[in-house]
Amino acid sequence: MMRKTIDGITYDTATATADKKFTFGAYGSDNGYEETLYITADGEYFIYTNGGKNSKYPCENIVPLEHSKVRDWIMSH
């Protein structure tokens, strides 16, 4: 679980709803990672990222996503 406040908006994986999840690589792989799209109760979207030490997401993070970009993000996977 991760919680982060960005520009006055709190994004929390424990209270938001996971909508889409993409996993790349084998579980536990140093090169593997995951990206999960969440939506808050207020309708705000964010992406939670996390991965192995050699992946593009070696540390967990939360990145807000504009409503107009959600479809593009999903289609890019």
Side-chain angles (χ1 to χ4, degrees):
M1 291 183 276
M2 183 176 186
R3 181 182 176 141
K4 188 173 184 179
T5 301
I6 302 168
D7 295 331
I9 300 172
T10 299
Y11 303 94
D12 189 341
T13 60
T15 59
T17 302
D19 187 18
K20 299 281 184 205
K21 182 176 185 175
F22 297 98
T23 303
F24 303 89
Y27 179 78
S29 167
D30 287 344
N31 297 314
Y33 62 92
E34 65 184 30
E35 299 175 343
T36 307
L37 176 68
Y38 283 88
I39 184 168
T40 68
D42 293 331
E44 299 294 330
Y45 287 94
F46 67 94
I47 300 170
Y48 167 78
T49 59
N50 193 19
K53 65 181 179 180
N54 297 326
S55 74
K56 68 188 226 179
Y57 304 117
C59 299
E60 66 179 345
N61 195 20
I62 287 177
V63 178
L65 186 65
E66 296 176 23
H67 294 204
S68 62
K69 303 291 183 184
V70 170
R71 182 178 170 92
D72 292 339
W73 180 83
I74 293 170
M75 299 304 289
S76 72
H77 292 82

